[in-house]
Amino acid sequence: FLLTQPHSVSESPGKTVTISCTRSSGSIASNYVQWYQQRPGSSPTTVIYEGYERPSGVPDRFSGSIDSSSNSASLTISGLKTEDEADYYCQSYDSINQEVFGGGTKLTVL
Amino acid sequence: QLQLQESGPGLVKPSETLSLTCTVSGDSISSSAYCWGWIRQSPGKGLEWIGNICHGGSTYYNPSLKSRVTISVDTSKNQFSLNLNSVTAADTAVYYCARRGRYPGVPDEFDYWGQGTLVTVSS
């Protein structure tokens, strides 16, 4: 299956942005979805795991959700800060342990 | 504090085999709660999962790379390795190793990543 993300999104500081991740086949709810943040020159770090859980240290401005009707997951970042500017990747897997990453979304905070 | 460190040649010739090792410190690679994976990122592109090795030695590979990939583990050295054969320029990428929680009781995510190592395929 594929995970499709918008190539880029942009928003102003203080605003809220939502990044979608649509699963092409199989139910989005059947396997957990994770979201990773990757800043230039750095390794990815988890901002959301298991759909909506936040690792310790990730601010509650980051939230995740699942919408079965559109077969998609979403990452929402509220109160945008310039430090949130990064690439964001969704990731999930299937019943035979095949991992899939979305193509990534470049978030610009301007 | 768990740390992962990739090591291996930064330059590989076309048609040869790319070999990388990930050394894990701060946790036992034999832990039954985790798998250990390889992910790559071509210059300016997104993340591509290569494969995982899990407790008991079970391996899972990206179908698009399966015919060329082998992931193995050396518990005595607390390392796991990637071999990718018959490489081409398309295999030029930053290669990351990572820990993957995939069993009950641990978060379902790639939670720790190495810093990544750039491998260039060129003659």
Side-chain angles (χ1 to χ4, degrees):
Chain A
F1 67 94
L2 300 176
L3 294 173
T4 301
Q5 302 179 231
H7 180 70
S8 63
V9 296
S10 62
E11 190 51 270
S12 303
K15 299 291 189 179
T16 296
V17 70
T18 297
I19 300 171
S20 62
C21 170
T22 302
R23 180 164 174 158
S24 63
S25 61
S27 172
I28 191 71
S30 62
N31 306 101
Y32 287 129
V33 176
Q34 282 62 246
W35 290 91
Y36 302 92
Q37 176 192 70
Q38 186 181 33
R39 295 191 173 102
S42 296
S43 304
T45 60
T46 309
V47 291
I48 295 289
Y49 66 95
E50 297 179 1
Y52 59 88
E53 299 285 355
R54 277 179 290 106
S56 60
V58 174
D60 60 7
R61 300 185 297 105
F62 290 81
S63 62
S65 63
I66 301 292
D67 181 359
S68 294
S69 66
S70 60
N71 213 36
S72 64
S74 293
L75 171 69
T76 298
I77 311 171
S78 60
L80 276 169
K81 300 184 176 184
T82 55
E83 68 201 48
D84 299 331
E85 190 163 288
D87 294 328
Y88 291 85
Y89 295 89
C90 60
Q91 173 260 320
S92 190
Y93 53 95
D94 64 15
S95 59
I96 54 172
N97 296 307
Q98 303 292 306
E99 311 273 7
V100 176
F101 285 94
T105 299
K106 181 178 179 60
L107 170 62
T108 302
V109 182
L110 37 64
Chain B
Q1 175 74 0
L2 179 68
Q3 291 186 320
L4 293 84
Q5 179 68 58
E6 306 90 350
S7 59
L11 181 64
V12 181
K13 290 182 168 56
S15 79
E16 295 190 344
T17 297
L18 180 159
S19 295
L20 295 174
T21 296
C22 181
T23 300
V24 179
S25 57
D27 188 20
S28 170
I29 203 166
S30 300
S31 169
S32 61
Y34 296 98
C35 298
W36 304 89
W38 289 97
I39 300 101
R40 72 180 182 178
Q41 186 170 35
S42 300
K45 303 296 184 181
L47 301 171
E48 179 181 28
W49 174 69
I50 299 171
N52 293 342
I53 188 163
C54 301
H55 182 66
S58 300
T59 51
Y60 306 93
Y61 299 131
N62 186 324
S64 68
L65 298 170
K66 186 175 184 177
S67 63
R68 299 193 291 131
V69 173
T70 303
I71 296 175
S72 59
V73 66
D74 185 337
T75 55
S76 67
K77 296 181 179 179
N78 223 38
Q79 296 175 334
F80 64 106
S81 298
L82 168 70
N83 278 351
L84 179 67
N85 60 37
S86 305
V87 297
T88 69
D91 295 308
T92 293
V94 173
Y95 286 76
Y96 295 99
C97 59
R99 188 178 78 167
R100 177 73 162 97
R102 281 303 309 274
Y103 296 93
V106 300
D108 197 320
E109 57 166 331
F110 287 101
D111 59 353
Y112 285 91
W113 297 63
Q115 66 184 26
T117 187
L118 174 63
V119 179
T120 301
V121 178
S122 175
S123 55

